[in-house]
């Protein structure tokens, strides 16, 4: 008899985005003339940078000619891309990372989901932020590393509470955590971490022989020169941290698909006899078995951002979203709401001082603006909403005007 992986039954159905569209559709059906502005989803809206498009087109033409045609590429990604990543994203920032430590992939979602496979399935103590990008949690549930979900939390996980009290930066847990997921700039809160705060986590991981998976998908939105772009700017991180990055938010690649994961050759974990094991070769083995690389034109398009012109175009693109974020932050703060994010991040996390879904309904019905209820990201998200800056400026202006008008009338 073919049996299922029972762990999938523990998963709490993710009602979040289906519930949002259900409520939006219902509202639109009842109010066909009302304009609805979506500031809910975390997807980019601007077209690819010109440098990427040019490289993309040229690479497609290479595929049309037998002399330049490419079949399977190097599994870890083409050297032309990995060398540029190492130089521009790390060495230029004083982080000691080499091209052979980079694994190019088709997404930070799959990488952050798959990394757990190289760790023990039993007795691993896992710490996840709350609120959280659900991928880190659900993939560990699927792998059987948790108990059932009770009252919105899985038994066996260590939840790192991110609240107004700690300014949404979790402190290291008193209990030992073996595998720790961190994401900065954060989705959904937009919070950023300082070098000093991040150093505490690196020191913790060294002390407890733990490993940190650092998701830096929103690195490109950092403007404050003091904030770390990479965990490898922190001494000792090469031994205790894996970093996940993506071109999705950096360069508008959500539909094009390119990302990468850094596993330094010095990064270690331990076997059942407490011997050190090299994680770089373990992850390489995993990728070689289960992944055949990212398409050549896509890697060419991604590598085009690593030039003076490419960096300028990427910055212009992300500055556009940051201008939206600044406007949202200003208007929501002006209405008297406590907010985080919105600077160095494309999300604004708003304390509505009310039930998340009630606040969602209010903004939908009174202003026609769709946001994301914070409760969908975890227990600590209750009371909050996430507003996304990924949209065009005119729509954001209109959305904010509608929110201000609606809430002022209250
Ligand atoms: C958008 C996002 C990613 C990027 O995922 P891709 O699969 O590369 O598109 C990764 N982590 C977080 C937290 C995100 O919000």
């Amino acid at each position: 008899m073919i049996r299922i992986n029972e762990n999938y039954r523990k998963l709490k159905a993710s009602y979040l985005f289906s519930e949002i569209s259900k409520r939006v559709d219902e509202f639109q059906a009842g109010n066909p003339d009302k304009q609805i502005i979506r500031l809910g989803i975390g997807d980019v809206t601007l077209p690819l940078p010109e440098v990427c498009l040019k490289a993309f087109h040229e690479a497609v033409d290479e595929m049309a000619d037998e002399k330049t045609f490419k079949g399977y590429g190097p599994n870890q990604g083409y050297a032309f891309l990995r060398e540029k990543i190492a130089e521009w994203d790390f060495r230029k920032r004083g982080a000691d990372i080499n091209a052979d430590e980079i694994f190019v992939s088709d997404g930070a979602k799959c990488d952050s989901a798959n990394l757990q496979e190289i760790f023990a399935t039993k007795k691993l103590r896992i710490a996840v932020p709350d609120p959280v990008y659900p991928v880190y949690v659900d993939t560990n549930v699927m792998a059987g590393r948790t108990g059932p979900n009770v009252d919105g939390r899985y038994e066996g996980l260590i939840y790192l509470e991110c609240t107004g009290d700690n300014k949404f930066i979790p402190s290291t847990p008193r209990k030992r955590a073996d595998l720790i997921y961190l994401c900065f700039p954060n989705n959904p809160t937009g919070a950023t971490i300082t070098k000093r705060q991040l150093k505490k986590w690196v020191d913790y991981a060294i002390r407890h022989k733990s490993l940190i998976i650092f998701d830096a998908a929103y690195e490109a939105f950092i403007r404050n020169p003091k904030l770390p772009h990479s965990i490898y700017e922190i001494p000792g991180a090469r031994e205790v941290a894996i970093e996940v990055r993506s071109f999705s938010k950096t360069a508008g690649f959500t539909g094009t698909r390119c990302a990468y994961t850094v596993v330094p050759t010095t990064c270690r974990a331990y076997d059942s006899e407490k011997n050190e094991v090299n994680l770089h070769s373990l992850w390489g083995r995993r990728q070689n078995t289960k992944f055949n690389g990212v398409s050549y034109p896509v890697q060419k398009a991604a590598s085009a951002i690593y030039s003076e012109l490419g960096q300028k175009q990427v910055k212009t693109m992300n500055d556009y979203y940051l201008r939206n974020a600044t406007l949202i932050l200003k208007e929501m703060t002006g209405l008297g709401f406590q907010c985080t994010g919105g600077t160095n991040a494309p999300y604004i996390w708003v304390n509505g001082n009310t039930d998340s879904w009630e606040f969602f309904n209010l903004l939908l019905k009174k202003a026609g603006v769709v946001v994301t209820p914070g409760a969908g990201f975890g227990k600590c998200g209750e009371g909050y909403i996430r507003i996304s800056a990924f949209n065009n400026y005119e729509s954001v202006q209109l959305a904010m005007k509608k929110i201000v008008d609606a809430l002022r009338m209250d």
Side-chain angles (χ1 to χ4, degrees):
M1 191 194 312
I2 179 71
R3 301 244 324 251
I4 61 152
N5 176 349
E6 301 279 349
N7 294 312
Y8 277 62
R9 290 199 166 151
K10 293 180 198 158
L11 290 169
K12 243 188 122 213
S14 174
Y15 297 116
L16 184 60
F17 288 99
S18 57
E19 181 65 26
I20 291 174
S21 40
K22 199 182 112 207
R23 291 189 189 208
V24 173
D25 290 348
E26 274 171 18
F27 177 74
Q28 186 79 88
N31 303 270
D33 302 330
K34 269 237 166 150
Q35 186 192 358
I36 290 178
I37 305 172
R38 288 162 208 268
L39 300 180
I41 45 167
D43 195 0
V44 297
T45 55
L46 291 174
L48 293 177
E50 271 176 40
V51 285
C52 297
L53 285 169
K54 182 166 174 288
F56 211 168
H57 279 293
E58 284 169 7
V60 170
D61 286 340
E62 285 183 62
M63 299 302 260
D65 185 338
E66 201 176 342
K67 288 197 280 299
T68 48
F69 172 79
K70 303 276 188 299
Y72 288 123
N75 201 285
Q76 224 180 302
Y78 281 98
F80 65 75
L81 175 56
R82 288 185 292 106
E83 274 157 16
K84 281 187 178 157
I85 291 170
E87 178 63 24
W88 288 78
D89 284 347
F90 296 98
R91 286 202 293 272
K92 273 181 190 287
R93 297 200 176 279
D96 170 28
I97 293 296
N98 280 314
D100 63 0
E101 299 179 306
I102 291 155
F103 294 83
V104 175
S105 80
D106 59 354
K109 184 182 202 168
C110 13
D111 284 352
S112 63
N114 295 334
L115 278 163
Q116 46 80 25
E117 287 183 21
I118 63 173
F119 303 110
T121 45
K122 298 236 156 53
K123 293 187 181 164
L124 200 67
R125 299 167 63 94
I126 300 166
V128 292
D130 179 6
V132 69
Y133 181 58
V135 176
Y136 318 147
V137 175
D138 290 0
T139 52
N140 279 294
V141 174
M142 290 169 174
R145 292 197 187 85
T146 72
N149 190 302
V150 179
D151 278 342
R153 282 191 168 176
Y154 291 97
E155 283 179 357
L157 289 183
I158 301 167
Y159 286 90
L160 305 168
E161 299 202 340
C162 304
T163 63
D165 290 341
N166 56 21
K167 298 204 162 64
F168 307 95
I169 306 296
S171 41
T172 52
R174 258 174 292 146
K175 288 189 196 168
R176 187 196 83 240
D178 304 310
L179 179 60
I180 300 147
Y181 290 86
L182 295 176
C183 172
F184 290 104
N186 189 263
N187 177 12
T189 69
T192 52
I193 196 163
T194 64
K195 282 188 186 169
R196 240 179 72 190
Q197 289 164 330
L198 191 53
K199 183 174 184 302
K200 284 191 184 158
W201 279 101
V202 170
D203 291 345
Y204 175 92
I206 295 170
R207 202 160 58 243
H208 295 276
K209 295 184 155 50
S210 323
L211 187 98
I212 299 169
I213 294 178
F214 189 74
D215 185 339
Y218 296 94
E219 169 275 335
F221 294 91
I222 296 174
R223 291 293 176 273
N224 179 342
K226 287 192 178 148
L227 293 172
H229 289 242
S230 164
I231 197 167
Y232 304 115
E233 291 176 48
I234 311 299
R238 281 184 51 90
E239 281 69 44
V240 301
I242 291 175
E243 183 164 305
V244 178
R245 293 261 193 120
S246 177
F247 294 89
S248 283
K249 317 296 166 24
T250 301
F253 272 54
T254 52
T256 306
R257 311 306 303 145
C258 197
Y260 65 87
T261 282
V262 185
V263 188
T265 49
T266 49
C267 197
R268 89 293 172 264
Y270 301 87
D271 68 12
S272 54
E273 262 91 57
K274 299 184 179 166
N275 300 308
E276 256 187 46
V277 179
N278 179 292
L279 285 179
H280 181 269
S281 45
L282 222 54
W283 181 244
R285 189 71 180 82
R286 190 269 172 211
Q287 289 298 79
N288 269 319
T289 302
K290 299 198 180 185
F291 185 60
N292 249 342
V294 176
S295 86
Y296 172 73
V298 168
Q299 292 192 60
K300 272 287 181 185
S303 74
I305 73 165
Y306 300 110
S307 65
E308 293 302 334
L309 182 62
Q311 293 289 294
K312 209 175 116 200
Q313 290 181 8
V314 161
K315 181 168 182 296
T316 303
M317 174 179 212
N318 294 321
D319 281 346
Y320 181 91
Y321 296 127
L322 284 169
R323 180 168 69 138
N324 292 346
T326 303
L327 177 64
I328 297 166
L329 180 63
K330 181 179 141 244
E331 296 296 352
M332 294 309 284
T333 306
L335 285 166
F337 293 108
Q338 292 238 334
C339 304
T340 22
T343 53
N344 306 294
Y347 299 121
I348 296 88
W349 188 241
V350 184
N351 187 347
N353 278 317
T354 174
D355 177 271
S356 279
W357 281 104
E358 242 167 62
F359 199 29
F360 169 91
N361 277 340
L362 178 82
L363 293 178
L364 176 62
K365 291 183 178 153
K366 292 215 162 161
V369 177
V370 183
V371 298
T372 315
F377 298 101
K379 243 184 168 169
C380 292
E382 183 53 88
Y384 291 83
I385 53 156
R386 185 192 75 176
I387 307 183
S388 162
F390 292 123
N391 211 319
N392 67 64
Y393 188 66
E394 292 68 33
S395 299
V396 172
Q397 272 183 315
L398 185 59
M400 296 324 293
K401 186 180 177 309
K402 288 180 168 214
I403 290 178
V404 169
D405 289 348
L407 297 188
R408 280 233 179 98
M409 278 191 304
D410 260 16

